[in-house]
Amino acid sequence: MATLSEKGARIAKNSLFTFFLKRAAKTIGKPARVALVVKEAVDKLKDHDNPKPGVHQAIDLGLTLVRFVSAWAQGHYRGVSPMTVVSAVAVLLYVVSPIDLVPDFIPVLGFGDDLALIAWFINRFRDEMMKFQAWEKAGGRPDALMR
């Protein structure tokens, strides 16, 4: 059985995700649009309070991704590769989009592909995410959106 991250890797190779990467590359130059995507992602992630094991952990990873993009968009966190930022925004665009490989209206499975893509991102960019989390722990945490 494939791990959540492996499922996300398959999604990341799909042409639909390529569409979101291209959209993200255009979006990162528009701070208001990035802020809107971040807010929509927070709303969606917090809306899925699922008692299944592992889902809470995946949602927490998604919220870390949201904080990462938010900190970058606000200019608080830099020193990260452009590809990481574009990929992060693409993942969030995928999460908030109603157009997925597995539509969100399908119970459990519809949100599963979103979580798989988040897990893939966190795994793929593990070093950069660990640096971001260390930065947060050191006091650089602009988390107003998370409240």
Side-chain angles (χ1 to χ4, degrees):
M1 178 117 176
T3 67
L4 197 58
S5 182
E6 290 168 342
K7 290 177 185 175
R10 284 196 298 272
I11 295 168
K13 293 177 186 173
N14 188 285
S15 61
L16 180 61
F17 188 67
T18 301
F19 165 79
F20 286 108
L21 282 170
K22 290 176 184 173
R23 223 172 116 194
K26 294 176 185 174
T27 301
I28 64 170
K30 301 173 185 171
R33 177 67 180 132
V34 173
L36 180 63
V37 171
V38 164
K39 182 181 179 339
E40 290 176 15
V42 168
D43 292 346
K44 185 171 182 181
L45 289 166
K46 287 192 170 193
D47 213 27
H48 284 78
D49 188 21
N50 190 325
K52 289 181 104 180
V55 172
H56 287 297
Q57 182 182 6
I59 289 172
D60 287 345
L61 291 174
L63 293 172
T64 299
L65 177 59
V66 165
R67 291 192 313 273
F68 169 77
V69 170
S70 181
W72 179 87
Q74 293 173 25
H76 299 294
Y77 187 75
R78 297 297 185 185
V80 62
S81 77
M83 187 58 196
T84 303
V85 175
V86 169
S87 296
V89 173
V91 169
L92 294 183
L93 285 168
Y94 184 93
V95 167
V96 302
S97 174
I99 302 167
D100 287 6
L101 292 177
V102 181
D104 290 340
F105 64 83
I106 298 173
V108 182
L109 294 176
F111 190 52
D113 66 324
D114 297 340
L115 295 180
L117 197 54
I118 290 168
W120 163 80
F121 175 86
I122 298 293
N123 189 47
R124 168 75 172 79
F125 297 98
R126 179 184 322 255
D127 290 345
E128 294 205 45
M129 294 310 294
M130 288 174 68
K131 288 177 190 172
F132 171 72
Q133 289 174 316
W135 175 81
E136 279 187 313
K137 286 181 182 173
R141 182 181 209 155
D143 64 351
L145 284 173
M146 305 307 294
R147 295 183 184 146

